[in-house]
Amino acid sequence: MSNRKFVNEIFNTPPKSYWIDSTAETNYPALDKNINVDIAIIGGGIVGITAAYLLQKEGFKVAVIEANKIAHGTSAHTTAKITSQHGLIYNNLKKQMGEDKAKQYAEANESAIRFIENTVKENNIDCDFSLKSAYIYTKDNNYIKAIEDEVDAAKSLGIDAYYMKEIPLPFTVKAAMRFDNQAQFHPRKYLLAISNEISNKGVKIFENTRAVDIEEGDELSVVTEKGFKIHAKRIIISTHFPFYDGKGFYFSRMYVEKSYIIAIKTNEPFPEGMFINAEDPPRSMRSQRYKDGEMVIIAGENHKVGDETDTNSRYNNLIEFANETFKTQNILYRWSAQDCMTVDDVPYIGNLTSKTPNIYVATGFKKWGMTSGTAAALIIKDLIVKGDSPYLPVFYPSRTDISASAEEFINQNADVVKELVTGKLKAAPKDFKLENGEGRAVEVDGKKIGAYKDNKGNIHMVDKTCTHLGCELKWNDGEKSWDCPCHGSRFSIDGDIIEGPASKPLNHPDEQPNKINPNIFG
C-alpha cells in the first residue's frame, strides 16, 4: 500500500489512540446507590489509579469513580514518556522559585520514575516498560546557551545530565542534553493491571459515573450525575482539569493546550532513546513495541484548544516531518491529547484550597502527566498518611508568588475574557446550507447554534454555549467535536461530554419550545 493511499485512509477514519486500540475494554459497574468510604477518588487516570493503589496498601477503604472508562482519557492519549526532563525547566525554576524548590521538583519526578519501575517489577506487569535516555536537542543557535545552562542546573539538582553535540537521530543538531535512567511504557497495560490488582483487594471502581458536585460540611459527599452520593472522610480530585473549583479559582490559573500524535512504521530501526526539541514547532519522538516489530510515535503541533479548526493540517505537518526524517512505510495511528498548563509551569498538587484540609487536587501537568501524575499520587498519599510531604512546597496549589509568571497569568485571563465577550458579540453566518461532513456555527432566528451534517445527511444541532463557564464553543473539523477555547471542555456532535471540566451536556435547540427545523440546512 502506498504512503499516499494510507494517508487518505487514515483521514477517512476517526482518530484512535494506539494505547486504547491495543488493550481490552474495561467493564466496571456504574454507581447505583449511596456508599460510605474513607477516601473517594474522582478520576480514573494515572493519578486516581495510582493513589488508590497506594492508599489501599495503607488500609483505607477507597472508591474510584470515572465519568467514562478508567485509563481512557488523558492517560490513554499520552506519548507515555516517564521522565523528569520536562523541557528547559530547571534553570528557570531555580531563578523563579529558588534552588530548594527546584530540587523538590526534580526529586519528586525522579522518585516517580523509580516508583513505576519498582511497581512493574513487584507486580510482574507486562507493559513494555524499558529504561531509556531522554534527549532535548536544538537545531537553532539561539538555544545553545539555554541548553548549556539547563545541563548545569540539572546537575546541580542531582540529575544525571550531560551536554552533547551529537545525538543518534538522522540529522545534525547544534546542541543537546541527555538525562539517563528515564523510561517509557504502555500506560493502559500498566494502569489496567494495577486496577485489576486493587479491585481484587477491595477498592471499589465505578465507571460511567460522573461527579457533578461536592458537598462540604462535617461530612464530605461526592454527588453524581444520577443523584447517588459517596460519603467520605477525604476526597481526591484527579479529573485532569478540576470539575469542582471550591473557590480555588483554577479556571483563572490554568489553560488547556492541544497536541497531536501519529504512530508510523519505518524501514529502519529507531535510535535508542526518547527525543524532543527545544524550539517551536515542538517535535517529540519515541519508539514503541508493535506486533513483531516497532513503531515510532511522533507528537507536537501544540496550540490552545479552540484556536485551530482545521486540525487535520496539524496531523499533516507531523506526517511531513516523519517523511523528511525517516523512511516511512505506513501511518498506523493518529490521535490528539489535551494538557492543562499552569501559569508558572509547575503542577498544582495538594489541598484544593487552604480551607479544605480533606479535599485534595492534582492538575496542571503540562505534557508530562505520566511522571508528574505519579508524583502527585505519592505526594497526596503522604499528606493523608503522614500529614506532610517533602515535595509539597513547590507544588502547593495555593501558592501566591506568581510574580515571575504574572505576565502569563494576565495574558491567559485576557484570552478567556476575550473569548467570553467576543464569542457572545460576534455574529454567526446566516447561510444555513451545510455539506455532508460539515459543521459550523450559524445564527437562526437570533439564536447561535452549532450545526453538523453527517455523511447520511442528518442534522445534529446543539446550543454552542459551554456548560462550564459559558464560553462560545468552536468547531473542530478534524475530530468532529465542539471545543471550548477557555478551559478545554469538548462535546460530541450531539452535545455529550467528551472531555471536562464541563459536567453537563449541551442543550439542544431542536428540543426547545421554539425548536428549529433541521430542513433549513439543505
Side-chain angles (χ1 to χ4, degrees):
M1 183 181 291
S2 71
N3 184 269
R4 181 180 295 277
K5 183 177 180 183
F6 201 94
V7 169
N8 290 337
E9 289 193 2
I10 203 79
F11 283 112
N12 285 333
T13 57
K16 180 186 293 184
S17 162
Y18 167 72
W19 313 125
I20 294 173
D21 194 46
S22 57
T23 46
E25 185 172 326
T26 53
N27 191 33
Y28 292 99
L31 183 68
D32 61 359
K33 62 181 179 181
N34 296 342
I35 62 172
N36 291 273
V37 295
D38 296 322
I39 301 169
I41 300 175
I42 308 168
I46 186 77
V47 179
I49 298 301
T50 306
Y53 174 78
L54 291 165
L55 292 164
Q56 175 271 325
K57 282 189 167 186
E58 296 291 336
F60 291 100
K61 185 179 180 182
V62 180
V64 178
I65 65 169
E66 167 57 46
N68 299 302
K69 297 285 188 177
I70 63 165
H72 205 276
T74 304
S75 296
H77 291 82
T78 171
T79 56
K81 295 178 178 179
I82 312 168
T83 175
S84 60
Q85 187 189 80
H86 298 170
L88 301 178
I89 189 172
Y90 290 108
N91 191 46
N92 287 333
L93 276 181
K94 287 183 69 174
K95 289 178 181 177
Q96 293 178 13
M97 293 187 168
E99 183 160 353
D100 286 347
K101 289 183 178 178
K103 192 173 183 64
Q104 290 167 18
Y105 186 99
E107 290 180 351
N109 282 283
E110 282 288 316
S111 295
I113 300 170
R114 304 285 78 84
F115 171 82
I116 293 174
E117 181 180 14
N118 292 334
T119 301
V120 169
K121 290 178 181 176
E122 289 171 7
N123 295 278
N124 196 26
I125 300 174
D126 180 9
C127 62
D128 305 336
F129 180 91
S130 59
L131 293 173
K132 302 278 184 180
S133 292
Y135 298 80
I136 298 178
Y137 68 88
T138 185
K139 296 181 177 182
D140 187 335
N141 287 323
N142 294 319
Y143 284 85
I144 295 174
K145 181 65 164 57
I147 287 179
E148 291 173 344
D149 291 344
E150 186 71 4
V151 171
D152 291 339
K155 283 182 174 179
S156 74
L157 300 173
I159 294 174
D160 250 350
Y162 302 90
Y163 181 81
M164 307 185 73
K165 294 183 178 180
E166 295 180 350
I167 59 174
L169 283 174
F171 48 72
T172 302
V173 301
K174 300 290 186 180
M177 173 178 66
R178 188 186 85 226
F179 281 17
D180 286 341
N181 296 311
Q182 310 295 286
Q184 63 184 43
F185 69 162
H186 189 305
R188 269 181 61 86
K189 287 182 179 179
Y190 173 77
L191 289 173
L192 296 187
I194 293 177
S195 300
N196 185 62
E197 171 79 10
I198 61 177
S199 178
N200 290 337
K201 291 185 176 180
V203 172
K204 301 296 183 184
I205 300 176
F206 300 100
E207 296 183 323
N208 300 309
T209 303
R210 184 177 298 279
V212 295
D213 198 9
I214 291 176
E215 293 178 348
E216 298 187 49
D218 294 337
E219 180 182 59
L220 296 171
S221 297
V222 179
V223 183
T224 68
E225 190 176 36
K226 300 294 185 182
F228 300 114
K229 295 183 180 180
I230 303 176
H231 305 294
K233 296 179 180 68
R234 294 181 175 90
I235 294 172
I236 300 172
I237 302 171
S238 56
T239 54
H240 192 45
F241 199 114
F243 86 102
Y244 178 81
D245 193 81
K247 298 182 180 178
F249 301 102
Y250 289 89
F251 61 85
S252 71
R253 298 191 283 144
M254 290 198 301
Y255 62 101
V256 182
E257 273 197 2
K258 195 172 190 69
S259 56
Y260 300 83
I261 302 163
I262 60 171
I264 65 171
K265 187 76 173 174
T266 63
N267 286 331
E268 67 279 313
F270 186 77
E272 189 68 21
M274 305 177 293
F275 304 86
I276 191 169
N277 60 334
E279 63 269 31
D280 289 328
R283 295 289 182 263
S284 170
M285 291 165 276
R286 59 157 286 196
S287 62
Q288 168 60 36
R289 189 172 72 186
Y290 177 70
K291 295 183 178 179
D292 57 350
E294 69 172 5
M295 63 184 185
V296 179
I297 295 173
I298 303 173
E301 292 295 305
N302 307 347
H303 64 82
K304 281 191 70 176
V305 172
D307 279 0
E308 176 70 82
T309 56
D310 181 17
T311 55
N312 280 338
S313 66
R314 301 289 184 159
Y315 290 113
N316 274 323
N317 291 342
L318 293 178
I319 292 170
E320 183 177 339
F321 171 80
N323 289 336
E324 291 172 352
T325 308
F326 305 104
K327 295 176 181 177
T328 307
Q329 282 185 17
N330 285 329
I331 298 94
L332 303 172
Y333 292 90
R334 68 178 176 118
W335 68 91
S336 68
Q338 290 193 183
D339 298 291
C340 293
M341 321 290 282
T342 67
V343 293
D344 60 5
D345 290 334
V346 176
Y348 300 126
I349 303 168
N351 295 103
L352 182 68
T353 72
S354 59
K355 297 180 179 180
T356 55
N358 294 318
I359 304 177
Y360 308 86
V361 71
T363 188
F365 303 134
K366 294 185 69 181
K367 314 293 180 186
W368 313 104
M370 295 300 97
T371 326
S372 294
T374 301
L378 290 163
I379 290 168
I380 292 173
K381 185 269 290 184
D382 280 349
L383 293 179
I384 291 173
V385 175
K386 303 176 182 177
D388 199 7
S389 164
Y391 310 129
L392 180 62
V394 67
F395 298 109
Y396 184 55
S398 297
R399 58 185 181 267
T400 56
D401 182 13
I402 62 165
S403 56
S405 50
E407 183 179 353
E408 184 69 13
F409 177 85
I410 292 168
N411 288 341
Q412 295 308 327
N413 281 284
D415 280 353
V416 171
V417 171
K418 181 188 75 173
E419 293 293 346
L420 278 166
V421 175
T422 61
K424 302 297 181 188
L425 297 178
K426 186 178 179 181
K430 294 181 173 62
D431 174 16
F432 302 144
K433 185 172 176 57
L434 293 174
E435 301 296 329
N436 285 4
E438 181 183 5
R440 56 189 166 91
V442 295
E443 186 173 321
V444 183
D445 297 333
K447 298 177 183 177
K448 288 183 184 177
I449 66 168
Y452 172 72
K453 189 175 185 180
D454 65 29
N455 290 328
K456 295 181 179 179
N458 299 315
I459 302 296
H460 305 257
M461 290 182 286
V462 295
D463 181 335
K464 60 184 288 290
T465 300
C466 182
T467 56
H468 177 227
L469 290 179
C471 286
E472 292 298 301
L473 303 173
K474 296 185 178 181
W475 177 246
N476 176 342
D477 187 56
E479 296 173 303
K480 309 302 181 191
S481 62
W482 293 100
D483 298 357
C484 180
C486 292
H487 302 107
S489 294
R490 295 181 62 225
F491 302 86
S492 73
I493 57 174
D494 293 313
D496 297 324
I497 300 168
I498 298 174
E499 193 152 359
S503 59
K504 295 180 180 178
L506 299 178
N507 294 317
H508 293 81
D510 53 335
E511 295 175 355
Q512 296 171 357
N514 298 319
K515 65 181 183 180
I516 297 169
N517 184 350
N519 293 329
I520 64 174
F521 296 102

